[in-house]
Amino acid sequence: MNRLFTFIMVCLCLVGFNHANAQQLGVVKGTVTDASNGETLPGVSILVKGTNSGTQSDAKGEFSIKTAGNATLVFNYVGYLSKEVAINNQTTLNVKLEVSSKELEQVVVVGYGVQKKSDVTGAVTQVTAKDISYQASANPAQSLQGKVAGVTVTNTGTPGSQPTVRIRGLGSVSSNSNPLYVVDGVLTRDITFLNNNDIETFNILKDASASAIYGVQAANGVIIITTKRGKSGKPLITYSGYMGFQKPTNMVDMTNGSQYIELLNEKGQIMADRAGQSYSPINGGAYPASTDWYDQILRSSAMIQNHELNFSGGNEKTQYAVGASYFKQEGLAKENDYARVNLKTAVDTWATDFLKVGANINLSSATSNNAPDNIFKDAYVAPSAIGVTNPDGSFTSMMDFGSFPNPAAKLYYNNNKTNALRLVGGAYLEVHPIKNLSVKSALYVDGTQSTNRKYTPWYQVSSVQTDTTLTLAKKIEDPFSYTWDNTATYKFEINEKHSLTAMLGTSMLQDRYHSMTATRQGVKDYGDGSWYLGNGSDKGQSNGESVDLYRSFSLFGRLNYSYLQRYLFTATLRRDEASIFPKDNRADFFPSVGLGWVISQESFMANQNAFQNLKLRASWGKMGNSRIPLTVVPGLSTGGNYSGVFGGNIITGANITQVGPRNLLWETTDEFDVAIEGATLRNRLTFEIDYYNKKTKNAIFPVTTVTTIGASNTSYLDNNADVVNKGLELSLGWKDRIGEFSYSIGGNIATNKNEVTRLKEGTLGIYGGSVNYINTTYTTVGRSIGEFYGRKVVGVFQNQLEIDNYKNKEGIVIQPQARPGDFIYQDTNGDGKINDYDRVFLGTAIPTYSFGINLGGSYKNFDLTVDMYGQGGNKVYNAKRFRQLGNENYDLDFYNNRWHGEGTSSTYPSADVVSETNKLASSFYVESGDMFKVRNIQLGYTFPQKVTNKLKINGLRVYANVANPFNFFNYNGFTPEVTNIDLTKSYNEQINATSQGIDLNVYPMSTVYNFGINLTL
């Protein structure tokens, strides 16, 4: 570290050294114009090459600069090609700049190929390495938040975890709704093995026209990731690294010990009054402690670091890239951390003039020390009037106030560790037998070996927090998938007017999941070196094994046609056959079509300067989702209870115990998209406006069973619903330069309306979001998926007179059992009583709009980036405030705003939230999820070439970065970004869409401060 510090200080000192050559100077004047129409260009940056000396053209496009007669001037203007002009002792220079077509020539990656951005007829957005590589995140998908219109990213906060990504809303309840990731050809749903610096580009295929080429895998959108590969040129050695720390932010303040006792006494008195009994207050002097349990389980500062070393280079024949990286992140929870080591290599070579071969391998090893289940919920509810430990150092029991676990003890006795080794890679062979024809065959693999070990030592904290079994549980997972793709692509032109590209292909996929679990008791604790199943007792042992196998075979094709680069047509067709479906219905076709009109290429646009590019496009396509729960088979029970005597013989009978369809079918999605995109103001302003309408058919929803048929299950999964997502997306970008200062402003905003439009005739809506057996959501026709549902609170009773006067039209007292301080509920149906028929919809957890703002600027050698993100229209169910045992702790906001006497509050109830009257699902627990945050601020400095030359290096940049420095929201929790993932279930069933937005155990948010360096040798 001392050497690194000395090196950085030397570099900083060298910034101030300047060396100028004494030369005879003269004044050069001139005018800068647009080469196409002769218009003058104001604000053109003009620099003397090799120096920091410069000027800019004025409002008339004129400039004047003093420099040497043998110097060269460099002209830069946003939207135009850079131009170098040698002075050659001239005193007047008139310079013409050509409009740049760089944006139009940008190449984007689409399914099984690439296209120029100008030729794309679907909704495809590209995010490049420079847009994400500077962010400190364990998973690259986290960096997409706020970058792409219509893409929402919800980060969980858990170290090494995968964020929840949604592209244009939510279309399924019971199947996995994450997008498909395609990493260098490998199909996957998990990119935790990647580093930000590994990635060259993200290409997000948002609509069906772009995604349908992936058929039955594409219903939730596709994100194609291209990693960095070698390039022709001299060998490069690069190091990128940062170190920093994370601080908990937006913490929820809880009541201290005395405030907690005060609330318990208030609650106790109210409960006694309800029952007509007396109450003896708790003596606060007997509980002098005041414990902040969050302080006990959280680190005040958690370290984060990343280091990456890469070697790349090559020639015209062979290119290579080899790298290694190390990432480590301590969790905010104590003893929770994640570390990952990556080794990667990529090689591409022309073996002959017509044969190209290549391979890429990414090997990652990850270790995670996992936090205990529900540790953040436990810290929220734990009584603050109890200390952490007893005088003898043992952990205190919470039993004086209820069956609560001691959070510090729970953390101390937790031993939950996961080790994983993962190999992701592929190899290809590409043949060019004739001109314009390429045939490619590629094999891709994705395999993981993961072991989770959970050991419970002997401990006894209280009667509800004890374990004397010395249990060791292990789970080994080894999923493995491979894909074999074969494509043939032919490109040709006719009369320089017609341009066609035809592609045909096949794809074969096998995805196998295998796991084994085993548990033994009596494993004595001599340190983790003794935690082996063989050291346990045979008595009480358990084990299990699970295997899932998914296979598919696909045929697909795509035709791209362009006439005069003005009229565009794209059509794709894919036939998928998947083993998860019944034999007589395993295959389906997924077509798409896209049309484009490049208006700016029309002759009537030839002499205008308003638009440098203007394109109208429209598309339609059909996609599928085969990542559904496993086949459901009706269950039968046989035996004596169902037997009968017929003709003197005992005939064994049977009864249906579980009903459901014999097979679930795939969900299909039809989507229509229309958009206009372009560039104006000399390419400085770019814009894109999309409207989409996406309908998911045969979405998998639970169907409520009729109890009279005798089945044990209350619901089963079926292709039961249609769901529509529709909305608008707007993306704007501005780039300009003022002298030596260049800057960019990017913004996007998207709306989404989610609605269930059909349920099977005769079926009921779906209740969900259970919080201690109380349903909080209801999904039905005309509403969004998982919409919160409960009683509407219209006030708080201040006195008995208000209770007696709260009547319906017939004079019936509506809440006769209420007490002052209880909620006043809306009598929705006017029947004079409050029950389930008075429930109303209270809002959705799905954001109805989201937006991002991305700023960038550079002046001389300094650069600055600022990223912001916001979302709104969504609600969060604050389930932490739910009272289950009765003596849970309260947050300070509740303490300060509660009802504790007539006139003290009309919005918050009394401390007696545990009563049946107040704890039912209601609008009180549903809070606004609107939020805005500054996601990232980074300030960097790139050392000038004269400094790097002296250091004999090719480039050096240092930077300081802060993530999540400012967060703005009104929600009474850590963050309104709430997602619920059940890791105990299979991947396709981990997320239940009817239970989203419920805050019960959310990982706290952190602000991250880090300092980094980018070095090129």
Side-chain angles (χ1 to χ4, degrees):
M1 288 297 295
N2 290 334
R3 291 182 178 178
L4 177 61
F5 177 78
T6 303
F7 174 74
I8 294 174
M9 292 303 297
V10 170
C11 295
L12 291 172
C13 291
L14 289 173
V15 174
F17 284 94
N18 290 306
H19 179 72
N21 295 318
Q23 297 181 14
Q24 187 174 358
L25 303 179
V27 176
V28 179
K29 298 181 179 181
T31 303
V32 186
T33 59
D34 185 315
S36 63
N37 54 31
E39 286 189 2
T40 57
L41 300 178
V44 177
S45 171
I46 305 159
L47 288 175
V48 179
K49 186 176 182 180
T51 74
N52 291 324
S53 176
T55 185
Q56 64 179 5
S57 59
D58 60 20
K60 297 180 180 180
E62 298 175 352
F63 69 92
S64 177
I65 188 170
K66 182 179 287 187
T67 186
N70 62 350
T72 298
L73 299 182
V74 181
F75 294 79
N76 282 294
Y77 195 51
V78 174
Y80 288 77
L81 295 173
S82 177
K83 188 171 186 178
E84 295 186 5
V85 179
I87 297 176
N88 293 328
N89 295 315
Q90 300 177 77
T91 58
T92 301
L93 289 176
N94 292 317
V95 179
K96 297 180 179 180
L97 297 184
E98 300 281 349
V99 174
S100 172
S101 59
K102 181 179 179 181
E103 294 294 330
L104 300 179
E105 298 304 317
Q106 177 189 10
V107 174
V108 297
V109 181
V110 294
Y112 307 100
V114 296
Q115 280 185 278
K116 289 192 300 183
K117 174 67 174 174
S118 58
D119 292 338
V120 172
T121 59
V124 180
T125 301
Q126 186 175 88
V127 179
T128 62
K130 66 181 179 62
D131 299 318
I132 63 165
S133 60
Y134 57 85
Q135 299 186 43
S137 57
N139 190 294
Q142 297 173 2
S143 304
L144 290 177
Q145 190 178 60
K147 296 291 186 181
V148 182
V151 177
T152 59
V153 180
T154 304
N155 298 317
T156 67
T158 306
S161 62
Q162 174 103 344
T164 300
V165 179
R166 296 285 179 266
I167 298 178
R168 292 183 168 180
L170 178 66
S172 181
V173 166
S174 300
S175 59
N176 196 291
S177 296
N178 282 333
L180 171 69
Y181 295 95
V182 184
V183 183
D184 293 330
V186 180
L187 308 184
T188 183
R189 304 280 169 170
D190 176 12
I191 57 171
T192 53
F193 66 96
L194 284 175
N195 242 333
N196 276 1
N197 273 324
D198 293 337
I199 294 174
E200 186 74 33
T201 60
F202 280 102
N203 290 275
I204 298 93
L205 315 186
K206 297 192 292 184
D207 74 333
S209 173
S211 303
I213 194 69
Y214 288 103
V216 80
Q217 305 247 29
N220 301 311
V222 180
I223 298 178
I224 301 178
I225 299 174
T226 303
T227 61
K228 295 176 181 177
R229 304 180 84 91
K231 298 178 181 179
S232 299
K234 65 178 183 179
L236 290 178
I237 302 175
T238 62
Y239 166 79
S240 297
Y242 61 79
M243 295 187 68
F245 56 93
Q246 309 155 92
K247 304 282 289 185
T249 187
N250 295 100
M251 293 301 298
V252 177
D253 294 325
M254 307 299 295
T255 59
N256 60 32
S258 62
Q259 293 167 336
Y260 171 71
I261 296 295
E262 180 184 354
L263 289 171
L264 290 193
N265 283 329
E266 288 182 14
K267 175 176 69 70
Q269 185 62 59
I270 295 171
M271 293 178 68
D273 291 345
R274 288 185 196 275
Q277 300 172 350
S278 61
Y279 174 70
S280 299
I282 299 172
N283 178 13
Y287 298 97
S290 185
T291 303
D292 186 330
W293 288 104
Y294 284 126
D295 282 349
Q296 299 303 315
I297 68 167
L298 295 177
R299 294 181 170 106
S300 59
S301 180
M303 297 299 294
I304 184 171
Q305 59 180 305
N306 185 71
H307 307 278
E308 187 164 2
L309 186 64
N310 290 298
F311 304 83
S312 64
N315 51 38
E316 293 183 359
K317 181 179 179 181
T318 302
Q319 299 85 43
Y320 64 89
V322 180
S325 63
Y326 172 73
F327 174 84
K328 183 172 184 181
Q329 180 182 15
E330 291 182 341
L332 293 181
K334 294 176 181 177
E335 309 303 327
N336 175 213
D337 56 57
Y338 173 81
R340 183 183 66 229
V341 175
N342 285 70
L343 299 174
K344 58 184 180 180
T345 183
V347 178
D348 303 281
T349 185
W350 284 94
T352 68
D353 292 341
F354 62 88
L355 176 62
K356 185 179 182 180
V357 296
N360 61 280
I361 297 172
N362 191 313
L363 180 65
S364 63
S365 175
T367 300
S368 176
N369 289 300
N370 308 309
D373 295 338
N374 298 316
I375 188 64
F376 301 109
K377 174 192 172 184
D378 292 338
Y380 183 95
V381 303
S384 57
I386 298 290
V388 181
T389 57
N390 297 307
D392 63 358
S394 61
F395 288 105
T396 55
S397 166
M398 306 275 128
M399 293 302 293
D400 283 2
F401 295 103
S403 301
F404 303 105
N406 183 317
K410 187 173 185 177
L411 198 64
Y412 180 80
Y413 292 117
N414 177 63
N415 297 285
N416 188 337
K417 186 175 184 179
T418 302
N419 292 308
L421 186 66
R422 186 174 181 186
L423 174 67
V424 179
Y428 72 89
L429 181 150
E430 186 176 316
V431 181
H432 297 256
I434 60 174
K435 184 179 179 181
N436 298 327
L437 175 63
S438 64
V439 180
K440 183 177 180 179
S441 183
L443 181 66
Y444 305 106
V445 297
D446 182 2
T448 299
Q449 177 74 33
S450 172
T451 301
N452 174 259
R453 181 196 65 194
K454 187 175 182 180
Y455 179 72
T456 306
W458 187 99
Y459 68 89
Q460 192 165 14
V461 179
S462 67
S463 60
V464 297
Q465 191 175 13
T466 181
D467 199 305
T468 60
T469 60
L470 299 173
T471 300
L472 175 65
K474 284 191 175 183
K475 182 177 184 179
I476 298 175
E477 299 174 283
D478 56 348
F480 180 81
S481 67
Y482 71 84
T483 307
W484 183 27
D485 291 339
N486 298 278
T487 58
T489 305
Y490 186 65
K491 301 179 180 180
F492 62 97
E493 291 187 357
I494 302 174
N495 298 329
E496 298 183 352
K497 293 182 179 179
H498 307 273
S499 177
L500 293 97
T501 301
M503 184 269 293
L504 295 174
T506 67
S507 181
M508 183 174 68
L509 167 69
Q510 176 170 297
D511 190 352
R512 177 181 179 271
Y513 172 81
H514 175 250
S515 69
M516 296 182 66
T517 58
T519 302
R520 283 202 178 184
Q521 298 178 351
V523 179
K524 294 183 178 180
D525 185 11
Y526 301 110
D528 58 3
S530 65
W531 297 344
Y532 291 96
L533 294 170
N535 293 335
S537 169
D538 294 341
K539 184 179 180 180
Q541 68 175 331
S542 64
N543 54 72
E545 187 172 16
S546 174
V547 178
D548 296 334
L549 183 63
Y550 174 91
R551 289 173 174 166
S552 68
F553 180 75
S554 308
L555 301 170
F556 53 86
R558 179 174 55 225
L559 176 67
N560 297 109
Y561 171 72
S562 170
Y563 178 66
L564 296 175
Q565 295 185 333
R566 186 183 307 164
Y567 309 111
L568 310 173
F569 172 79
T570 302
T572 67
L573 180 64
R574 180 169 176 132
R575 180 188 183 275
D576 275 316
E577 189 171 355
S579 63
I580 197 170
F581 302 116
K583 290 183 178 180
D584 58 352
N585 199 17
R586 281 184 174 171
D588 203 354
F589 290 89
F590 299 94
S592 77
V593 61
L595 300 173
W597 177 26
V598 186
I599 304 172
S600 53
Q601 291 287 348
E602 293 287 359
S603 57
F604 60 79
M605 297 286 285
N607 296 319
Q608 58 82 38
N609 297 310
F611 296 98
Q612 285 68 60
N613 177 43
L614 186 64
K615 182 171 73 174
L616 178 68
R617 55 177 172 80
S619 65
W620 171 88
K622 178 182 176 183
M623 305 172 290
N625 181 18
S626 62
R627 296 299 179 175
I628 63 175
L630 294 177
T631 302
V632 179
V633 180
L636 293 175
S637 180
T638 61
N641 291 334
Y642 310 112
S643 301
V645 178
F646 296 92
N649 298 317
I650 299 176
I651 306 300
T652 301
N655 181 50
I656 297 175
T657 59
Q658 180 170 310
V659 299
R662 288 195 172 274
N663 294 95
L664 294 177
L665 306 180
W666 42 36
E667 300 171 330
T668 59
T669 298
D670 289 0
E671 183 175 6
F672 170 74
D673 182 281
V674 61
I676 187 166
E677 60 184 64
T680 185
L681 299 177
R682 300 189 179 95
N683 282 320
R684 288 178 293 181
L685 176 64
T686 58
F687 60 89
E688 186 169 346
I689 306 170
D690 276 81
Y691 168 78
Y692 66 91
N693 189 310
K694 182 168 68 170
K695 183 175 184 179
T696 302
K697 300 178 181 179
N698 294 320
I700 297 173
F701 273 51
V703 177
T704 303
T705 60
V706 180
T707 56
T708 56
I709 65 176
S712 60
N713 58 319
T714 58
S715 66
Y716 62 90
L717 295 177
D718 197 2
N719 299 99
N720 186 37
D722 292 346
V723 181
V724 169
N725 287 276
K726 57 185 176 182
L728 288 169
E729 298 170 351
L730 170 64
S731 299
L732 297 172
W734 175 271
K735 293 181 180 180
D736 202 357
R737 188 183 187 98
I738 304 173
E740 295 183 70
F741 174 65
S742 61
Y743 67 98
S744 64
I745 303 172
N748 65 79
I749 185 169
T751 66
N752 176 258
K753 178 178 173 57
N754 178 273
E755 182 181 358
V756 178
T757 58
R758 182 191 67 87
L759 290 174
K760 274 188 177 179
E761 187 175 351
T763 61
L764 304 175
I766 308 152
Y767 289 99
S770 177
V771 177
N772 196 38
Y773 306 107
I774 295 177
N775 290 317
T776 62
T777 70
Y778 185 54
T779 303
T780 191
V781 173
R783 312 302 303 194
S784 62
I785 294 175
E787 192 157 346
F788 295 120
Y789 192 61
R791 292 157 177 79
K792 183 176 181 180
V793 175
V794 294
V796 173
F797 288 116
Q798 301 298 314
N799 50 50
Q800 186 62 43
L801 183 61
E802 281 193 1
I803 297 172
D804 295 338
N805 289 333
Y806 186 43
K807 303 175 182 179
N808 70 349
K809 293 179 180 180
E810 285 73 33
I812 301 173
V813 177
I814 297 173
Q815 292 180 246
Q817 304 302 318
R819 301 289 299 177
D822 286 349
F823 287 130
I824 305 174
Y825 292 118
Q826 174 180 284
D827 182 16
T828 304
N829 63 0
D831 64 356
K833 53 187 176 182
I834 301 299
N835 53 31
D836 285 349
Y837 295 105
D838 294 304
R839 290 178 293 180
V840 296
F841 290 98
L842 302 171
T844 175
I846 304 172
T848 58
Y849 68 89
S850 60
F851 61 92
I853 303 171
N854 305 289
L855 309 176
S858 64
Y859 178 73
K860 294 186 177 180
N861 297 95
F862 291 93
D863 61 87
L864 175 70
T865 58
V866 180
D867 295 332
M868 292 167 275
Y869 174 74
Q871 65 181 39
N874 61 305
K875 302 293 183 179
V876 179
Y877 194 91
N878 195 342
K880 298 191 305 298
R881 283 182 163 173
F882 175 81
R883 307 285 102 176
Q884 179 179 359
L885 303 175
N887 288 337
E888 289 90 346
N889 198 5
Y890 299 79
D891 59 65
L892 191 60
D893 174 78
F894 183 91
Y895 174 83
N896 291 331
N897 294 285
R898 78 194 186 283
W899 185 93
H900 54 285
E902 187 170 343
T904 54
S905 177
S906 61
T907 54
Y908 281 53
S910 69
D912 184 21
V913 192
V914 72
S915 71
E916 290 297 326
T917 304
N918 294 325
K919 73 178 183 180
L920 296 175
S922 73
S923 57
F924 173 74
Y925 298 101
V926 179
E927 301 184 32
S928 170
D930 295 358
M931 59 159 288
F932 173 74
K933 65 179 179 180
V934 179
R935 289 191 62 253
N936 208 85
I937 302 175
Q938 184 172 119
L939 177 64
Y941 179 81
T942 301
F943 286 80
Q945 188 175 358
K946 59 185 177 183
V947 175
T948 57
N949 287 342
K950 289 181 179 180
L951 296 174
K952 297 183 179 180
I953 58 178
N954 288 323
L956 176 63
R957 178 179 177 269
V958 294
Y959 62 88
N961 192 87
V962 57
N964 297 325
F966 306 107
N967 303 275
F968 306 95
F969 53 83
N970 293 320
Y971 172 62
N972 291 300
F974 297 128
T975 172
E977 293 185 271
V978 176
T979 186
N980 298 310
I981 302 176
D982 187 352
L983 296 178
T984 64
K985 295 185 177 181
S986 66
Y987 178 80
N988 292 330
E989 302 175 51
Q990 287 177 357
I991 298 177
N992 185 344
T994 63
S995 299
Q996 294 305 294
I998 299 175
D999 181 1
L1000 195 59
N1001 188 55
V1002 172
Y1003 209 100
M1005 182 184 294
S1006 64
T1007 299
V1008 185
Y1009 305 88
N1010 61 289
F1011 304 88
I1013 183 172
N1014 305 121
L1015 175 66
T1016 304
L1017 301 178

mmCIF file of all heavy atoms in Angstrom, residues 2 494 635 703 754 761 874 905 920:
data_model
loop_
_atom_site.group_PDB
_atom_site.id
_atom_site.type_symbol
_atom_site.label_atom_id
_atom_site.label_comp_id
_atom_site.label_asym_id
_atom_site.label_seq_id
_atom_site.Cartn_x
_atom_site.Cartn_y
_atom_site.Cartn_z
ATOM 1 N N ASN A 2 2.015 1.217 0.737
ATOM 2 C CA ASN A 2 2.890 2.397 0.767
ATOM 3 C C ASN A 2 3.438 2.709 -0.616
ATOM 4 O O ASN A 2 3.549 3.874 -1.009
ATOM 5 C CB ASN A 2 4.030 2.169 1.755
ATOM 6 C CG ASN A 2 3.539 2.177 3.201
ATOM 7 O OD1 ASN A 2 2.518 2.804 3.491
ATOM 8 N ND2 ASN A 2 4.251 1.487 4.093
ATOM 9 N N ILE A 494 -28.605 -5.731 -54.955
ATOM 10 C CA ILE A 494 -29.044 -5.728 -56.349
ATOM 11 C C ILE A 494 -29.100 -4.278 -56.823
ATOM 12 O O ILE A 494 -29.854 -3.471 -56.277
ATOM 13 C CB ILE A 494 -30.429 -6.385 -56.500
ATOM 14 C CG1 ILE A 494 -30.400 -7.831 -55.979
ATOM 15 C CG2 ILE A 494 -30.882 -6.355 -57.959
ATOM 16 C CD1 ILE A 494 -31.762 -8.485 -55.968
ATOM 17 N N GLY A 635 -53.767 -35.681 -8.369
ATOM 18 C CA GLY A 635 -53.401 -36.718 -7.414
ATOM 19 C C GLY A 635 -54.580 -37.610 -7.059
ATOM 20 O O GLY A 635 -55.727 -37.186 -7.043
ATOM 21 N N VAL A 703 -55.825 -21.156 -9.840
ATOM 22 C CA VAL A 703 -57.275 -21.287 -9.954
ATOM 23 C C VAL A 703 -57.788 -21.857 -8.642
ATOM 24 O O VAL A 703 -57.302 -22.885 -8.170
ATOM 25 C CB VAL A 703 -57.662 -22.211 -11.124
ATOM 26 C CG1 VAL A 703 -59.182 -22.387 -11.174
ATOM 27 C CG2 VAL A 703 -57.146 -21.652 -12.436
ATOM 28 N N ASN A 754 -50.372 -1.834 -16.221
ATOM 29 C CA ASN A 754 -50.490 -3.281 -16.117
ATOM 30 C C ASN A 754 -51.930 -3.636 -15.767
ATOM 31 O O ASN A 754 -52.503 -3.079 -14.834
ATOM 32 C CB ASN A 754 -49.528 -3.805 -15.038
ATOM 33 C CG ASN A 754 -49.624 -5.299 -14.827
ATOM 34 O OD1 ASN A 754 -50.432 -5.777 -14.047
ATOM 35 N ND2 ASN A 754 -48.785 -6.042 -15.523
ATOM 36 N N GLU A 761 -63.507 -18.273 -17.587
ATOM 37 C CA GLU A 761 -64.882 -18.134 -17.149
ATOM 38 C C GLU A 761 -65.160 -19.051 -15.955
ATOM 39 O O GLU A 761 -64.817 -20.223 -15.956
ATOM 40 C CB GLU A 761 -65.836 -18.462 -18.296
ATOM 41 C CG GLU A 761 -67.296 -18.189 -17.975
ATOM 42 C CD GLU A 761 -68.206 -18.417 -19.177
ATOM 43 O OE1 GLU A 761 -67.657 -18.626 -20.289
ATOM 44 O OE2 GLU A 761 -69.428 -18.393 -19.003
ATOM 45 N N ASN A 874 -46.232 3.613 -7.672
ATOM 46 C CA ASN A 874 -46.296 2.316 -6.998
ATOM 47 C C ASN A 874 -46.464 2.497 -5.500
ATOM 48 O O ASN A 874 -46.186 3.558 -4.942
ATOM 49 C CB ASN A 874 -45.043 1.493 -7.288
ATOM 50 C CG ASN A 874 -43.773 2.174 -6.802
ATOM 51 O OD1 ASN A 874 -43.500 3.314 -7.171
ATOM 52 N ND2 ASN A 874 -42.994 1.493 -5.988
ATOM 53 N N SER A 905 -53.970 12.657 17.154
ATOM 54 C CA SER A 905 -53.698 12.173 15.798
ATOM 55 C C SER A 905 -54.994 11.739 15.141
ATOM 56 O O SER A 905 -55.852 11.125 15.784
ATOM 57 C CB SER A 905 -52.718 11.003 15.821
ATOM 58 O OG SER A 905 -52.519 10.499 14.503
ATOM 59 N N LEU A 920 -55.764 -5.604 10.622
ATOM 60 C CA LEU A 920 -56.172 -6.139 9.329
ATOM 61 C C LEU A 920 -55.598 -5.300 8.195
ATOM 62 O O LEU A 920 -55.252 -4.123 8.365
ATOM 63 C CB LEU A 920 -57.703 -6.174 9.246
ATOM 64 C CG LEU A 920 -58.392 -7.109 10.250
ATOM 65 C CD1 LEU A 920 -59.900 -6.952 10.155
ATOM 66 C CD2 LEU A 920 -57.976 -8.553 10.014
#
